[in-house]
Amino acid sequence: MKIVVLTGAGISAESGVPTFRDADGLWEGHRVEDVATPEAYEARPSAVHRFYDARRTALSAVEPNPAHHALARLEEHLGDDLLVVTQNIDDLHERAGSRRVVHMHGELRSALCRGCRSRMPWQADLGDFPPCPRCGVSELRPDVVWFGEIPYEMDRILAAVGESDLFVSIGTSGAVYPAAGFVQVALLNGARTLELNLQPSEGTTLFHEHRHGPAGVLVPEWVASLVTA
Ligand code: BJW
C-alpha cells in the first residue's frame, strides 16, 4: 500500500511550536496572509529576519513528539511506499528519524540567495544580512515559501499523491493551497482519504474518514493499527 501523509503545524503543536491560525497562533494579531509574503519582506526585511531568526533559535529547544516518532516508525515498515509531505519548516520529522520527507514550504535551517537562487544549509541568524557564500553578491533570505511563491517539489508531490492508495492529512487547517487541494487529487485517483486533526479542517468533507483529537494520540494509534494489521 502506498501512503502519502501531509502534515501541517498541528503535528508540531505538542512539541511547543506555535500553529498559524489557532487562537494562540504564531502571528499574534497579524493575518499570516498579510505578513508571509515577498512584499512584507521587501517592506520590512529586518522585522521579517528577526521573526525567522527567533523561530530558528527556538527550534533547538523543542523535540519531536509521539506523532513524529510514529511516522518515522511507519517509514521503517513501508520504506519507499511512504512519503511525508510537510508544510512545516521545522526539522522535527527528520529528528524523529523520517527520511522520506518533502518540505514543500521550505526549511528554517536553510537559506536562499536572492541573487543566484542557491539554497544552502544555514544555522546562524540572517538578520545581519550576510552575503551569499556562493555568489558573494546578493543577500540571503529565509528559504521559506511565502504567499504568491511556488512551493517546492510540486511534480514529485503530485506524482506521489496521484499514485497513493491512502492519503492522510494531519494537523493542517486546509486553508492554504496547493496543499489543501491534494486531497482532491487523491480522490480523483481513487485513493482513500483520512483526516487526523484537532478539529474539522476547512476541507473535512472531502475525507472518507475523520478522527479528531491531538496528533500525539491519534497518529501513534493509527500507525499501530496499520503496523499490526
Ligand atoms: C492540531 C493540534 C494538535 C492544532 N493535534 N491538530 C484564492 C483561492 C485559492 C488559492 C489562492 C487564492 N488566492 C491565493 C491563493 C494561493 C495561496 C493561498 O492558498 N492563499 C489562501 C490564503 C487562500 N497560496 C499560495 O500563494 C502558495 N503558492 C501558490 O499557490 O503558488 C502557485 C502555484 C502552486 C502550485 C503550482 C503552480 C503554481 C504558497 C503558500 C505559501 C504558504 N506559506 C506559509 C508560510 C511558510 C513559512 C513560515 O512557516 O513562516 O506556510 S503560510 C502558513 O500556512 C505556512 C503553513 O505551512 C501554511 C498552512 O498552515 P497549517 O500548517 O495548516 O497551520 P494552521 O495554523 O492553519 O492549522 C493548524 C491545524 O492544526 C488547525 O486545524 C488546528 O486545529 C490543528 N491542530 N493543534 C492535531 N495538537
Side-chain angles (χ1 to χ4, degrees):
M1 177 159 69
K2 289 184 184 296
I3 302 180
V4 172
V5 171
L6 172 70
T7 65
I11 197 168
S12 296
E14 289 156 77
S15 293
V17 181
T19 62
F20 293 90
R21 295 173 183 80
D22 292 306
D24 55 349
L26 191 59
W27 295 89
E28 294 161 350
H30 298 283
R31 280 177 6 110
V32 61
E33 291 77 11
D34 294 335
V35 285
T37 65
E39 293 77 18
Y41 180 73
E42 288 296 335
R44 300 176 64 214
S46 292
V48 172
H49 275 310
R50 265 199 311 279
F51 177 73
Y52 283 97
D53 286 347
R55 286 171 69 190
R56 195 180 304 103
T57 302
L59 261 193
S60 312
V62 299
E63 296 292 338
N65 67 52
H68 299 103
H69 286 295
L71 291 180
R73 209 156 49 245
L74 187 59
E75 188 181 300
E76 284 170 16
H77 285 265
L78 291 179
D80 290 351
D81 287 337
L82 175 69
L83 181 67
V84 173
V85 177
T86 187
Q87 299 169 84
N88 300 342
I89 62 175
D90 65 51
D91 57 357
L92 295 178
H93 284 302
E94 286 86 349
R95 282 203 263 153
S98 289
R99 291 291 165 263
R100 289 177 47 79
V101 183
V102 176
H103 283 270
M104 64 177 290
H105 290 164
E107 294 182 68
L108 267 174
R109 287 182 162 156
S110 178
L112 170 68
C113 175
R114 283 168 33 101
C116 70
R117 307 303 294 174
S118 296
R119 304 176 71 193
M120 59 208 87
W122 199 267
Q123 306 285 343
D125 284 354
L126 289 169
D128 47 359
F129 299 93
C132 171
R134 304 254 168 90
C135 72
V137 177
S138 190
E139 78 201 36
L140 299 173
R141 56 162 270 188
D143 186 11
V144 300
V145 178
W146 288 316
F147 286 105
E149 298 181 323
I150 297 179
Y152 288 118
E153 299 198 57
M154 284 302 300
D155 290 347
R156 180 181 176 198
I157 296 169
L158 290 174
V161 173
E163 286 171 9
S164 65
D165 302 296
L166 176 62
F167 174 80
V168 186
S169 174
I170 303 173
T172 175
S173 58
V176 176
Y177 289 83
F182 294 162
V183 60
Q184 283 160 306
V185 176
L187 286 173
L188 282 171
N189 287 279
R192 273 198 71 75
T193 57
L194 167 65
E195 171 170 282
L196 305 177
N197 206 47
L198 200 55
Q199 60 200 31
S201 73
E202 290 190 17
T204 196
T205 54
L206 295 167
F207 292 86
H208 291 115
E209 192 185 341
H210 325 84
R211 299 181 197 168
H212 294 136
V217 174
L218 295 184
V219 180
E221 280 176 3
W222 169 67
V223 168
S225 69
L226 274 188
V227 168
T228 49

